[in-house]
Amino acid sequence: MSSSSDFLRQLPDSAAHFSRAESFWRRIHIDPVLLLLLLLLTGFGLFALYSGSGQSLAVVKRQLAFYFIAYCAMFTVAQLDMKLLCRWAPWFYGIGIVLLILVYIVGVQAKGAQRWISLGFIRFQPSEVLKIAVPVAMAAYFSSRMLPPKLKHIIAALIIVGLPAVLILKQPDLGTSILIAASGLLVLFLAGLRWRYILGSFCLLGASAWPIWNYVLHGYQKQRILTLFNPEADRFGAGWNTIQAKIAIGSGGLNGKGWLNGSQSQLDFLPESHTDFIIAVLAEEFGFVGVVALLALYFAIVSRGLFIAWTAQTTFNRLLAGSLILTFFVYIFVNVAMVGGLLPVVGVPLPLVSLGGTSLVTLMLAFGILMAIATDTNKPSN
Amino acid sequence: MLGSAANKSSYDSDHHHFKDHVSEHRLFKRRVVVSLLLLLAALLVLILRFHTLQIEQYEDYVTQSDNNRLQVRPIPPNRGLLIDNRGRIIAENKAIRTLSLVVERVDDLDATLKELSELVDISTRNTENFQKALKWRRRPYEPVPLKFKLSDDEVARIAVNEHRLDGVELTGQLVRYYPYHDLFAHVLGYVGRIDEREQGRFDEKQKQLYAGTQSIGKIGLERFYEDDLLGLVGQEKIETNARGRALRAVDSLAPQAGNDVELFLDIDVQKKAAELMQGRRGAVVAMELETGGVISMLSAPSFDPNLFVTGISSKDYRGLNENLDLPMFNRAIQAQYPPGSTLKPMLGLGGLENKIISEYSRVRDPGWYQLEGDDRLYRDWKKGGHGHEVDLYKAIVQSCDIFFYDLGHRMGVDLMHAFGEYFGLGERTNIDIPNERRGLWPSKEWKRNVRGLAWYPGNNLNMSIGQGDVLATPLQLAAMTVAMANQGKFIEPRLAKRVAGKETTKVVRSVYKGEQKNWDLVYKAMKDVVHSPRGTAQVLNKKLKFTMAGKTGTAQVVSIAQEGEYDSEALSERNRDHALFVGYAPVENPLIAVAVVIENGEKSSKAGAVAKGVMAAYLQNIHPLEFADVE
């Protein structure tokens, strides 16, 4: 590393200079700050879940089991050598695409969508793989290119992102498709995509809104968007969730009704109260204070993630860490905005809090990668 | 492209190009800072959104949340009881089981209705009323009644299947019950289901008062004392879940039962009246002299008011409505009959008081009367007349028409009208039940305004024997008789003695103070109507163990042709004369006055017999110490 007045430069750059405690965490590839924040969040999540599930201990136990698996996955992935991950990135990505195509051929249908592959004992959603594979592939791609990227590289990158996004959109799974696209595009952004391209694409997006509305979106998706603007139009149908969530949130007030005292959630007015809409439970029972506390906790996690990206030693590490943590925030934003009635209802769970196995494991894999990056001892070659 | 990223050197990143790591890193850091700013902006948006919902719009959403979870259910009060003058209940409340549906919880209404109809007998009328009730006056999750009065058997069948019939509810409720069935139907009236018209007339306060209440007083005492009987609705705040299932009562306000109304009516006297009027059309009204209280009020034939409580079937209703005997018509207050000779004592007193006649005035009665310059013969009811020397006493005892034609001719309509008004003729008595008719006590103004005709001298004659245009209800006749027996004190009749334990007010409308000797003359004559061998009701004094005074009357239903003979056989039954009797007892110390009308009863003594029976029942039951054995 070159000498510089930049404060990062003042950090020790070799394991030999780390304190004993730090070197311990480095050796087991755990970022203690991130771990503590995650433990706080998941612990908090259990309380919310107990309430949101109608005080079901069974649900809490199930989630505990998921947490256990997810933490194990995180610790395992944290051990990964980033050099290897970068090298394997194309394979990883390729397998993901193959799986997505397989979904069309042997996929299991449920609720009008074909998203799963059945392995007999377990159902498996290939799009989850792409949530990691796409940013990894993008980071790997740009790590070997000159940055900021040139137009041909941008186009190549768009193909890397676009292929899985379109495949997933067709399942159909708009929410996941957007999130995966976001994770890839965030790499492009962090790689230094020129502002003129960014502004240009926003203009393009604005211009294509009409054809997207008419030719791309499914009827139910349009309905959800329309419902957002006028939930009363379909009080007991599509609008029900939005209305009831708003009532739950609003009636929580500043301090909330108290844990397990939320009438909206405890009396079944709020659907999906332990999955996608769990923040409404939280907002009702812990009030504005609780919501702000939760967002602060998320912000702390994201900050820590950005710090890891900031201090990462290689381009691959930086781009990947930045993308993963920003995608994590996108999840949070989409879920909270959706429940709060700012965005249409798309099936995005509240990260690490909503009940659910797959998304939890995927997220924790991402945090495992972040920890691997945080504790990566590979040095960039100059 | 992918291939190039896959080789080992790509991780070290400088395989193909020269890379400016410092500027690249700087670029990255700038992007991170931009990301952080955008992220903070996004967070701010979220926080502002939640601030809006949770702080600014808090009140609004709390209300919505409470509306969501809390359902206010009204608890209907128990209706006040109607009690006879000796504390016996004549209108009470009985528990019934009702089958209701909470439509919001029913998946498939038609299927559920079909299934229910297999379990219990559900008529088309039940379904119609149910569909009607669905359309109005309903809060979400409010049970809508489908069938009332389920039998124990039906209750059991529903209860067994209830678990698989979502939204089906069996509820208990109290409904009005009239244990004496048709005995008091007209005077009590009945409660019935609140209909759309009544619902539409309710103001906000009434809507509240009647929340949860299914029925309302329709006619009779039930209607008149509705406000007292109704009571105050209570309420219960129930916490319900999203599917409307009640979880717990959060708060409740107990209902306040309606006030009891204690009546002057006496079950035994009423029973006697009904027994004596059995198989006849007509009315009986008995009043207490001291209080003006109505001891008995009967209109025959009658009906069972219980039929109306939860909604009468169209078959039953048609049966009542199309019956030629008009069982639902309250003859005691609504039927207007020509009072006939029952007015004679009163008019006789009027003649004395106005010095038109004296106790010595005599009239020759050849059986007809003729006005100067008028060819028409005004006949006496008795062919051949009552002789040469008919005075007032004899004219009352034997009911001589000619004497009264003469009196009427000399008094004129104005005097007669004014005097009759003291005794309540032509005016509502203001009894405490609705729909009373006012009768007709003619005057020159009335005839000019209503008929557009002048008053002719002949009209005086008809009026003087209670015929022509004169009409009175049985209740008016009873009230007139009370005033006569009370030496001119007209008391408005009333049915309620105490409401909510508080005495009702006795209203003395007018007091006519006549000369004592005039009263005595009339009283003697009225007594001898019954007690003299020449009296028109002398048949009543057989085995009579108390003294009674009275006056018979017959009212023509059809006018007899000028020279025609009255032939009851030739007239159809319904064209025969009405038989009337008014009287009071005991003569020495009058306690009760009675008026009886038997439609097409012909012989006024038949009506007198009813009055006698009612008086006896009253004296025996209400004054048992003095009149232990009058029958």
Side-chain angles (χ1 to χ4, degrees):
Chain A
M1 281 255 153
S2 61
S3 64
S4 158
S5 58
D6 196 325
F7 78 94
L8 272 176
R9 295 292 177 269
Q10 292 158 11
L11 283 174
D13 58 0
S14 118
H17 298 114
F18 293 149
S19 71
R20 196 175 293 170
E22 269 180 281
S23 68
F24 164 76
W25 291 114
R26 209 161 260 273
R27 225 177 299 132
I28 62 165
H29 292 284
I30 292 299
D31 181 60
V33 179
L34 195 51
L35 179 64
L36 180 71
L37 292 171
L38 290 175
L39 284 172
L40 269 174
L41 181 63
T42 48
F44 190 49
L46 285 179
F47 279 93
L49 200 64
Y50 180 62
S51 179
S53 65
Q55 307 179 22
S56 157
L57 266 181
V59 167
V60 171
K61 281 181 185 163
R62 228 174 98 205
Q63 182 78 342
L64 261 178
F66 287 141
Y67 278 151
F68 180 75
I69 295 166
Y71 273 101
C72 287
M74 179 183 78
F75 289 135
T76 310
V77 169
Q79 311 307 315
L80 206 66
D81 184 347
M82 293 312 288
K83 232 183 234 176
L84 288 176
L85 185 63
C86 183
R87 203 175 301 150
W88 295 339
W91 295 103
F92 193 20
Y93 176 82
I95 292 168
I97 297 292
V98 170
L99 285 171
L100 277 186
I101 294 167
L102 268 178
V103 168
Y104 282 95
I105 303 163
V106 297
V108 181
Q109 224 165 343
K111 296 182 201 164
Q114 200 161 354
R115 298 176 186 168
W116 295 271
I117 288 177
S118 178
L119 301 178
F121 61 96
I122 196 167
R123 267 185 180 189
F124 166 76
Q125 203 170 334
S127 56
E128 291 295 325
V129 176
L130 276 302
K131 284 182 181 171
I132 304 287
V134 167
V136 168
M138 287 285 283
Y141 180 70
F142 284 115
S143 67
S144 64
R145 302 289 180 282
M146 261 235 313
L147 299 180
K150 292 187 181 116
L151 187 59
K152 59 172 182 176
H153 298 142
I154 294 169
I155 293 167
L158 287 178
I159 293 168
I160 298 175
V161 176
L163 183 63
V166 169
L167 285 171
I168 293 164
L169 184 65
K170 289 279 164 195
Q171 286 182 348
D173 190 351
L174 180 68
T176 310
S177 174
I178 288 174
L179 289 171
I180 285 172
S183 69
L185 294 175
L186 280 167
V187 177
L188 199 55
F189 173 73
L190 291 170
L193 181 67
R194 301 229 178 257
W195 284 107
R196 56 173 175 269
Y197 291 132
I198 296 174
L199 291 174
S201 57
F202 271 112
C203 291
L204 204 69
L205 198 71
S208 61
W210 190 80
I212 287 179
W213 178 264
N214 279 302
Y215 301 110
V216 180
L217 291 182
H218 287 255
Y220 78 93
Q221 289 163 338
K222 289 187 207 172
Q223 188 57 52
R224 281 182 188 173
I225 293 168
L226 290 177
T227 301
L228 179 71
F229 298 115
N230 185 16
E232 298 292 330
D234 189 11
R235 252 202 99 82
F236 295 101
W240 174 268
N241 288 18
T242 307
I243 292 169
Q244 296 301 333
K246 274 205 253 180
I247 294 174
I249 295 164
S251 64
L254 181 63
N255 295 314
K257 297 173 183 172
W259 188 48
L260 304 181
N261 283 330
S263 59
Q264 285 289 108
S265 43
Q266 303 304 324
L267 300 174
D268 280 348
F269 285 96
L270 188 65
E272 301 190 53
S273 57
H274 58 293
T275 56
D276 291 359
F277 278 73
I278 196 158
I279 192 165
V281 178
L282 237 138
E284 184 181 24
E285 299 192 344
F286 299 105
F288 185 62
V289 171
V291 172
V292 172
L294 179 79
L295 290 178
L297 192 51
Y298 275 127
F299 181 67
I301 291 171
V302 173
S303 301
R304 184 62 183 176
L306 286 176
F307 175 75
I308 289 168
W310 185 279
T311 55
Q313 298 295 308
T314 66
T315 306
F316 176 72
N317 285 5
R318 279 196 285 268
L319 293 178
L320 183 55
S323 163
L324 289 176
I325 201 66
L326 288 177
T327 309
F328 179 70
F329 180 76
V330 171
Y331 274 58
I332 298 163
F333 182 80
V334 170
N335 176 273
V336 176
M338 158 186 110
V339 177
L342 288 174
L343 286 179
V345 176
V346 286
V348 175
L350 184 64
L352 304 186
V353 175
S354 288
L355 176 73
T358 336
S359 79
L360 188 62
V361 172
T362 313
L363 285 165
M364 289 303 261
L365 283 176
F367 281 107
I369 291 171
L370 272 172
M371 288 187 172
I373 292 169
T375 58
D376 189 16
T377 48
N378 288 307
K379 288 214 166 185
S381 54
N382 287 321
Chain B
M1 295 175 289
L2 282 170
S4 69
N7 67 51
K8 186 195 180 298
S9 60
S10 74
Y11 187 72
D12 297 325
S13 75
D14 57 353
H15 182 70
H16 295 287
H17 316 276
F18 170 76
K19 290 193 74 170
D20 181 351
H21 287 283
V22 175
S23 75
E24 228 175 62
H25 199 176
R26 196 172 291 143
L27 177 64
F28 176 78
K29 283 180 179 173
R30 275 206 303 275
R31 287 298 162 101
V32 169
V33 171
V34 171
S35 305
L36 190 65
L37 290 176
L38 288 173
L39 190 151
L40 281 170
L43 266 182
L44 191 68
V45 167
L46 293 182
I47 287 173
L48 284 178
R49 174 63 174 172
F50 276 73
H51 186 270
T52 308
L53 292 175
Q54 300 194 283
I55 311 294
E56 287 166 33
Q57 299 173 350
Y58 171 68
E59 295 293 334
D60 189 26
Y61 283 113
V62 161
T63 313
Q64 288 193 43
S65 162
D66 280 345
N67 286 348
N68 247 352
R69 84 185 169 101
L70 293 179
Q71 204 189 321
V72 180
R73 285 191 181 174
I75 313 172
N78 289 349
R79 197 172 172 84
L81 305 174
L82 291 164
I83 298 169
D84 97 330
N85 73 337
R86 284 186 280 166
R88 293 168 293 189
I89 296 168
I90 54 180
E92 59 182 306
N93 302 307
K94 201 167 85 170
I96 58 159
R97 298 279 263 172
T98 301
L99 175 63
S100 309
L101 288 171
V102 179
V103 188
E104 281 79 358
R105 284 171 45 207
V106 178
D107 287 333
D108 183 345
L109 191 58
D110 290 336
T112 304
L113 284 175
K114 189 166 173 292
E115 195 150 2
L116 283 174
S117 67
E118 281 158 19
L119 294 171
V120 297
D121 179 35
I122 290 168
S123 66
T124 39
R125 214 181 116 263
N126 291 145
T127 334
E128 279 167 19
N129 282 344
F130 173 77
Q131 301 288 4
K132 229 186 276 169
L134 275 185
K135 288 188 199 126
W136 52 276
R137 206 172 88 100
R138 207 169 67 81
R139 289 171 291 277
Y141 295 109
E142 187 182 70
V144 179
L146 174 64
K147 183 182 170 123
F148 293 98
K149 290 188 189 164
L150 268 71
S151 67
D152 290 348
D153 194 37
E154 287 175 317
V155 168
R157 258 177 285 156
I158 296 287
V160 167
N161 291 287
E162 212 175 1
H163 66 277
R164 57 186 188 84
L165 296 168
D166 277 342
V168 173
E169 270 187 12
L170 278 176
T171 49
Q173 80 196 110
L174 288 176
V175 296
R176 203 46 145 188
Y177 178 65
Y178 304 102
Y180 293 94
H181 299 275
D182 60 356
L183 190 59
F184 291 98
H186 295 102
V187 56
L188 296 187
Y190 50 80
V191 300
R193 301 197 66 191
I194 300 170
D195 61 31
E196 275 165 89
R197 227 185 46 223
E198 284 157 332
Q199 183 67 21
R201 277 203 303 260
F202 281 171
D203 58 28
E204 276 313 307
K205 187 163 191 297
Q206 281 172 310
K207 271 181 193 157
Q208 262 177 11
L209 279 171
Y210 283 90
T213 301
Q214 304 281 352
S215 50
I216 187 169
K218 297 277 186 181
I219 60 166
L221 283 162
E222 293 278 27
R223 161 102 166 262
F224 193 91
Y225 288 103
E226 175 66 21
D227 292 347
D228 297 285
L229 293 166
L230 176 64
L232 269 180
V233 65
Q235 58 173 228
E236 196 174 20
K237 274 188 188 158
I238 306 265
E239 191 172 83
T240 56
N241 66 12
R243 281 174 295 283
R245 194 173 293 277
L247 300 178
R248 66 192 174 104
V250 177
D251 192 15
S252 71
L253 176 72
Q256 217 174 299
N259 293 318
D260 295 344
V261 175
E262 295 168 67
L263 305 169
F264 287 103
L265 289 173
D266 186 273
I267 290 170
D268 296 303
V269 179
Q270 184 86 352
K271 270 185 181 161
K272 189 71 188 178
E275 180 194 315
L276 295 168
M277 290 295 285
Q278 185 69 44
R280 290 171 165 155
R281 294 182 304 279
V284 177
V285 177
M287 283 173 65
E288 236 171 34
L289 260 72
E290 173 64 30
T291 59
V294 176
I295 298 146
S296 172
M297 178 181 275
L298 184 92
S299 174
S302 187
F303 63 96
D304 186 350
N306 290 307
L307 291 174
F308 288 86
V309 174
T310 53
I312 188 166
S313 74
S314 47
K315 180 172 159 277
D316 287 342
Y317 188 76
R318 226 181 305 117
L320 290 175
N321 208 28
E322 291 173 4
N323 188 330
L324 288 177
D325 290 341
L326 307 179
M328 287 198 294
F329 181 50
N330 186 356
R331 291 170 160 85
I333 61 166
Q334 292 182 302
Q336 305 181 112
Y337 302 100
S341 307
T342 57
L343 297 188
K344 283 175 181 168
M346 186 272 291
L347 284 173
L349 182 76
L352 293 173
E353 286 294 315
N354 288 289
K355 310 265 191 265
I356 305 296
I357 51 168
S358 77
E359 60 185 300
Y360 308 112
S361 303
R362 299 275 196 282
V363 162
R364 193 177 70 88
D365 173 12
W368 50 267
Y369 185 86
Q370 203 168 16
L371 284 170
E372 227 169 289
D374 186 349
D375 290 340
R376 186 182 160 127
L377 290 181
Y378 293 87
R379 294 178 179 278
D380 198 293
W381 64 271
K382 191 177 178 186
K383 217 179 166 188
H386 290 88
H388 292 280
E389 304 262 300
V390 181
D391 62 0
L392 178 61
Y393 169 80
K394 189 177 173 188
I396 290 174
V397 173
Q398 299 184 18
S399 204
C400 171
D401 289 339
I402 305 301
F403 184 91
F404 282 93
Y405 287 148
D406 184 56
L407 175 61
H409 174 59
R410 291 203 277 156
M411 264 181 103
V413 57
D414 295 340
L415 267 184
M416 279 194 286
H417 183 82
F419 200 73
E421 278 192 326
Y422 285 116
F423 297 86
L425 293 176
E427 278 306 320
R428 291 191 181 86
T429 65
N430 293 337
I431 190 170
D432 43 356
I433 45 175
N435 304 326
E436 182 192 5
R437 306 280 298 264
R438 65 192 316 152
L440 179 56
W441 186 233
S443 65
K444 279 179 182 158
E445 289 73 36
W446 166 81
K447 195 163 179 197
R448 194 169 49 239
N449 294 339
V450 178
R451 291 269 166 89
L453 292 171
W455 187 265
Y456 299 116
N459 298 146
N460 290 324
L461 307 197
N462 278 331
M463 187 170 170
S464 70
I465 58 161
Q467 297 275 1
D469 296 318
V470 183
L471 292 171
T473 65
L475 177 67
Q476 283 179 318
L477 296 181
M480 173 192 76
T481 310
V482 168
M484 286 298 291
N486 261 338
Q487 296 221 358
K489 189 162 80 175
F490 185 91
I491 307 171
E492 293 190 346
R494 68 207 153 107
L495 289 153
K497 188 193 281 178
R498 275 184 286 270
V499 178
K502 220 179 126 226
E503 299 281 341
T504 56
T505 324
K506 170 171 133 181
V507 178
V508 177
R509 184 188 293 175
S510 62
V511 181
Y512 180 81
K513 282 201 172 80
E515 265 191 79
Q516 190 59 48
K517 67 176 174 60
N518 292 343
W519 283 114
D520 289 342
L521 171 59
V522 173
Y523 287 155
K524 184 173 184 307
M526 287 179 80
K527 181 188 173 189
D528 285 347
V529 167
V530 177
H531 291 276
S532 138
R534 310 292 306 270
T536 49
Q538 55 84 24
V539 63
L540 300 180
N541 70 31
K542 265 181 221 156
K543 291 183 190 167
L544 187 63
K545 293 186 180 167
F546 59 93
T547 50
M548 66 181 274
K551 183 67 196 80
T552 56
T554 50
Q556 283 178 12
V557 176
V558 287
S559 318
I560 310 299
Q562 196 57 199
E563 301 297 326
E565 290 288 309
Y566 181 87
D567 178 4
S568 69
E569 295 301 317
L571 288 167
S572 78
E573 197 265 345
R574 280 179 199 276
N575 287 333
R576 289 176 199 162
D577 287 350
H578 295 329
L580 292 90
F581 185 88
V582 299
Y584 61 90
V587 172
E588 307 75 36
N589 173 29
L591 295 170
I592 177 176
V594 182
V596 177
V597 177
I598 299 175
E599 288 181 15
N600 317 114
E602 287 186 286
K603 289 210 167 76
S604 54
S605 56
K606 283 185 193 166
V610 174
K612 176 181 158 186
V614 168
M615 287 169 177
Y618 170 78
L619 296 174
Q620 216 165 22
N621 287 298
I622 314 293
H623 302 279
L625 292 178
E626 303 148 74
F627 303 96
D629 181 28
V630 291
E631 266 196 297

